[in-house]
Amino acid sequence: MSAQIIDGKAFAAALRGRIATKVAALRDAGGRAPGLAVVLVGEDPASAVYVRNKHKATIAAGMASFEYRLPADTEQDELLTLVASLNADPAVDGILVQLPLPPQIDADTVLMAIDPDKDVDGFHPVNAGRLATGLPGFVPCTPYGCVMLLKDQLGDLAGLDAVVIGRSNIVGKPMAQLLIAESCTVTVAHSKTRDLPGIVHRADIVVAAVGRPEMIKGEWIKPGAVVIDVGINRTDDGLIGDVDFNGAASVASAITPVPGGVGPMTIACLLRNTLISASRRQGVALDLAEL
Ligand code: GUN
């Protein structure tokens, strides 16, 4: 193995520490603690774990955590009523409705009902549009965490060839937008892409977000590339990424492990967005460069 292993867990812990310091400063200045509302519908076990971890991290950062657990048979209108009350609640700076939602609920309808200025997931079409046009808004947490790790590793990303594998609204598309904003040359590959190995092989930066265990092979990676593995695939062998880790680690200059790479960055960036929201809503300036 030649690649450096990118320690997302340590990076995220340090980021959460900086956020906690800013929260304390906001309160010292007479401000209100940032408030994050998380809504879980049903009992999907993976979602329950995420929601519990979000709650713990929110409290640890000195923020207020409002948790709503609704039964799996909740009607869409009931959820929309809850979202409307959270939109109107001045103590709530961020609203997150955990996905996936049960089949009787249309996720797009619910996400569009969230006030875009409390949409700390960055999933509302208004925030997707803001990201695409370079306006301030909320950026989805997982891709933003990936960019933080990449900039920490590489410094300026301008001019680098980046390949994003996956075109989801949650990771692939916002990831591509963020890399464009960093002046990378961006290719978005997906299930219909021809010659994926050839496309991956020309990339200085590879971001894998397909949800298929070890689909990206080590021999596809250009020597010296930085590999960011967003995949979290639950298999009989435990959590496995989208990248053949051992193969890729023998040629890449740096790679994120699964677990302990991108995963911990998501919650840290969610807290970052919640702090940004609270500072905007309370009219307190925040030096984002320090976050
Ligand atoms: N389910 C898995 N990841 C996420 C996330 O980042 N946000 C929401 N709302 N649901 C998810």
Side-chain angles (χ1 to χ4, degrees), residues 47 50 54 96-100 111 121 123 141-142 170 266 270:
S47 292
Y50 288 140
K54 282 171 198 165
L96 180 146
V97 177
Q98 184 69 29
L99 302 177
L111 296 180
D121 255 333
F123 293 166
C141 304
T142 301
I170 291 178
T266 301
L270 176 69

Side-chain angles (χ1 to χ4, degrees), residues 1 13 18 25 33 37 65 192 199 201 203 223 249 259 270 272:
M1 178 168 350
R18 294 195 296 278
S65 172
K192 299 283 192 291
I199 300 257
H201 198 70
L270 176 69
R272 182 180 179 277

Side-chain angles (χ1 to χ4, degrees), residues 122-138:
F123 293 166
H124 193 289
V126 163
N127 282 317
R130 287 168 170 164
L131 175 59
T133 52
L135 293 171
F138 290 113

